[in-house]
Amino acid sequence: MADLYLKALEAERKSLWAACRLKGLAKGTPERLRIEELDKLLFEHKSRKAG
């Protein structure tokens, strides 16, 4: 079964990362901080799923 939460997090991260690269946003901007938060959420979710 598809893990929709994981897919949603990855899609949001990919979208934000593309926007940051396109706009040339520096570290510390809200978008970059959200990417860091998504990385933590992805790591926690994957580690919980692995056991």
Side-chain angles (χ1 to χ4, degrees), residues 20-48:
C20 288
R21 296 221 7 145
L22 184 66
K23 296 177 184 176
L25 298 177
K27 289 183 179 181
T29 58
E31 291 87 350
R32 294 286 295 260
L33 294 174
R34 178 64 179 155
I35 289 171
E36 291 175 16
E37 183 181 335
L38 287 170
D39 286 341
K40 290 177 190 172
L41 292 172
L42 284 165
F43 176 76
E44 290 171 2
H45 184 71
K46 288 180 181 180
S47 64
R48 212 176 315 133

